[in-house]
Amino acid sequence: MKKDKYCSFCWRNKEEVYLLIEGKEGFICDRCVAEAEKIIEAEQASRTQKASLIRLMKPTEIKEHLDEYVIGQDQAKKVISVAVYNHYKRLSRIMKGQANEIEIDKSNILMLGETGTGKTLLARTIARILEVPFCIADATVITEAGYVGEDVETILTRLLQAANYDVQSAERGIVYIDEIDKIARKSDNPSITRDVSGEGVQQAMLKLLEGSIVYVPPQGGRKHPEQNLVAINTNNILFVCGGAFDGLERSIMKRMQSQAIGFKTLFEKENVLDKDNIFRYANAHDLKKYGLIPELIGRLPVITYLDPLDKATLKSILLEPKNALIKQYEELFRLEGVKFEVDENVIDYLAEQAMDLKLGARGLRSLLESILLDHMYEIPSKDDIQDFRLTIDNVKTKLSESNLALLKVA
């Protein structure tokens, strides 16, 4: 039986068009071919526009924006600014079709620093500046495939959800993997037993960090086994890993022989070893000894450190950033129609107490929540309060009544 000759797209017959091209299951006319060409050109222009929409800010501009939200950490900001700039400069070149035979590798980042020093805040602020999809994943819940826990692919599921399931947008996003130190190899001998939440996770993460096609369950892997998988190319996704690496300083100190018996080392003679911030001397050898496999270390070429927070930095965190803690509480009280003020000596006292708690910037938040709890509980029910001033006596009284006093490190 002869086919009726009409376009399968616009349903025009052969007499109404100039040319009708026959395919295996139907026809397409010259008009639809022209329209399809316009659609392809528009899509290519859209992709080029998306590349130009990436806020390719210079490293100095990136650092200036980071300074508005993160206090201190100048070295980490410089390292991250350069790595992010190079990564998105590389990505813009690819999206604009300017790639040549010289292929530029991406610069995944590893941040070392104590808890509360700003690792997560740096990654979140970078994503906000660049206006790209961003997600935070916790490495502690990930296990090797087939064991109770989450698969490595669920990291990309979160990124896909942050991009509203737009694969192209997700493929130029940023993933921050927190607590990366918690998946360190539990034993120096990898053949003793399976390490399903340590070395097994590190090996599973290699394909993500390297850049490959990963098939991702869009709704999570184990609750919906019937779903269709989404292919995501991780070649242009920037991975930022962070961890406290508690105990790494001992390996660094031992390597540098800063406590040698008998003869003084070069560092002790010149008195240049910064023992308060020993992470600045960390290298791949220390990370390998800590329990990260060499293959993973090699896929995190940019290693930076965050300085421990001193009293002056903690005071600045309370007052200076755009999202400073005192500004946040001023806004909370303003919403209740109350003017919130803090005595200057309170700021000094809070910084000293946070230093004792050893919790970094998070310690400041814990202190303020404990101090202001009763006030934030009572003030919304009172209409006669228009001003509230936080005094040193009030702070000391509230802290003595709270459980935070028991958390202080001797």
Side-chain angles (χ1 to χ4, degrees):
M1 183 177 176
K2 191 175 180 180
K3 296 179 181 178
D4 294 332
K5 293 189 176 182
Y6 59 86
C7 179
S8 302
F9 291 86
C10 66
W11 294 88
R12 294 186 180 95
N13 58 37
K14 185 177 181 181
E15 287 73 21
E16 295 178 279
V17 297
Y18 175 74
L19 183 64
L20 199 61
I21 304 171
E22 183 175 6
K24 186 176 180 181
E25 297 294 337
F27 297 86
I28 184 171
C29 68
D30 58 296
R31 296 184 182 181
C32 290
V33 171
E35 289 296 324
E37 185 179 7
K38 292 179 181 178
I39 293 172
I40 293 172
E41 291 176 352
E43 177 64 22
Q44 290 175 342
S46 175
R47 293 191 180 189
T48 302
Q49 185 180 13
K50 283 184 179 180
S52 63
L53 287 176
I54 295 177
R55 300 184 64 186
L56 191 56
M57 304 166 64
K58 294 179 174 60
T60 54
E61 296 174 338
I62 295 175
K63 185 180 180 299
E64 287 174 2
H65 279 74
L66 289 175
D67 289 338
E68 296 179 359
Y69 295 91
V70 184
I71 297 297
Q73 313 300 356
D74 288 335
Q75 179 64 21
K77 289 176 186 175
K78 287 181 182 178
V79 172
I80 292 172
S81 298
V82 171
V84 169
Y85 174 73
N86 288 337
H87 175 76
Y88 282 100
K89 184 169 59 176
R90 162 185 175 270
L91 179 57
S92 296
R93 186 187 72 156
I94 294 173
M95 296 182 71
K96 291 177 181 178
Q98 299 174 350
N100 52 34
E101 67 276 4
I102 300 176
E103 184 176 348
I104 303 175
D105 294 331
K106 63 176 177 176
S107 304
N108 295 324
I109 305 169
L110 175 62
M111 293 191 293
L112 314 175
E114 298 175 359
T115 181
T117 51
K119 299 184 293 293
T120 307
L121 181 59
L122 277 171
R124 186 182 288 114
T125 305
I126 282 288
R128 186 191 302 120
I129 292 171
L130 298 172
E131 298 177 358
V132 297
F134 172 75
C135 75
I136 298 177
D138 189 352
T140 58
V141 299
I142 302 173
T143 58
E144 198 174 348
Y147 293 86
V148 175
E150 294 188 7
D151 295 333
V152 169
E153 288 75 16
T154 58
I155 295 175
L156 297 182
T157 299
R158 294 189 179 93
L159 183 64
L160 192 62
Q161 293 168 349
N164 292 322
Y165 294 95
D166 183 350
V167 175
Q168 289 185 0
S169 179
E171 287 180 346
R172 59 186 181 94
I174 296 176
V175 175
Y176 177 67
I177 304 177
D178 202 6
E179 308 293 352
I180 194 72
D181 55 315
K182 305 305 186 294
I183 61 170
R185 189 159 57 193
K186 305 302 186 295
S187 172
D188 290 335
N189 187 348
S191 63
I192 290 179
T193 182
R194 284 192 77 84
D195 192 1
V196 299
S197 61
E199 184 181 358
V201 175
Q202 294 186 53
Q203 292 172 349
M205 287 177 60
L206 298 180
K207 62 179 181 179
L208 267 70
L209 301 177
E210 176 72 15
S212 60
I213 303 296
V214 180
Y215 292 92
V216 179
Q219 299 177 0
R222 303 184 181 180
K223 292 184 178 179
H224 305 277
E226 76 287 348
Q227 64 187 310
N228 295 323
L229 301 180
V230 177
I232 295 181
N233 187 352
T234 66
N235 191 49
N236 297 323
I237 297 176
L238 181 64
F239 289 91
V240 182
C241 301
F245 288 89
D246 185 30
L248 180 65
E249 61 274 5
R250 292 191 292 271
S251 174
I252 300 172
M253 297 281 281
K254 184 177 180 180
R255 174 175 57 83
M256 302 184 73
Q257 297 180 351
S258 61
Q259 297 178 346
I261 298 175
F263 298 99
K264 289 189 176 181
T265 65
L266 176 64
F267 287 105
E268 288 178 321
K269 289 178 182 178
E270 298 181 355
N271 196 27
V272 296
L273 181 61
D274 185 3
K275 294 184 179 180
D276 293 330
N277 188 10
I278 199 67
F279 281 157
R280 69 166 59 200
Y281 308 109
N283 60 20
H285 173 78
D286 302 315
L287 296 173
K288 180 176 179 294
K289 193 169 182 181
Y290 189 83
L292 297 186
I293 60 177
E295 298 90 334
L296 184 67
I297 299 171
R299 286 164 174 80
L300 296 168
V302 180
I303 301 176
T304 186
Y305 62 90
L306 280 81
D307 300 313
L309 302 182
D310 55 16
K311 181 181 176 180
T313 305
L314 290 170
K315 288 174 61 178
S316 299
I317 290 172
L318 283 169
L319 299 172
E320 295 179 10
K322 280 190 173 181
N323 56 345
L325 287 173
I326 296 299
K327 294 178 182 178
Q328 293 181 36
Y329 284 99
E330 286 176 351
E331 180 65 14
L332 286 173
F333 278 81
R334 188 193 65 80
L335 294 174
E336 297 294 337
V338 177
K339 183 180 179 182
F340 178 74
E341 295 179 339
V342 181
D343 287 345
E344 186 175 349
N345 55 357
V346 170
I347 302 298
D348 290 326
Y349 185 76
L350 289 175
E352 292 173 358
Q353 296 299 309
M355 291 283 291
D356 292 339
L357 288 176
K358 304 291 185 183
L359 294 178
R362 292 190 181 94
L364 292 172
R365 185 60 185 262
S366 300
L367 288 167
L368 284 169
E369 285 290 335
S370 179
I371 293 167
L372 296 174
L373 175 63
D374 292 337
H375 302 295
M376 290 189 293
Y377 176 76
E378 296 169 357
I379 286 178
S381 302
K382 297 180 180 179
D383 299 329
D384 57 339
I385 299 179
Q386 296 181 348
D387 299 283
F388 175 78
R389 190 171 192 87
L390 189 61
T391 64
I392 188 67
D393 293 334
N394 194 351
V395 168
K396 291 181 178 180
T397 301
K398 293 297 181 182
L399 285 180
S400 64
E401 296 173 354
S402 70
N403 292 328
L404 284 176
L406 303 176
L407 298 177
K408 292 184 180 180
V409 179

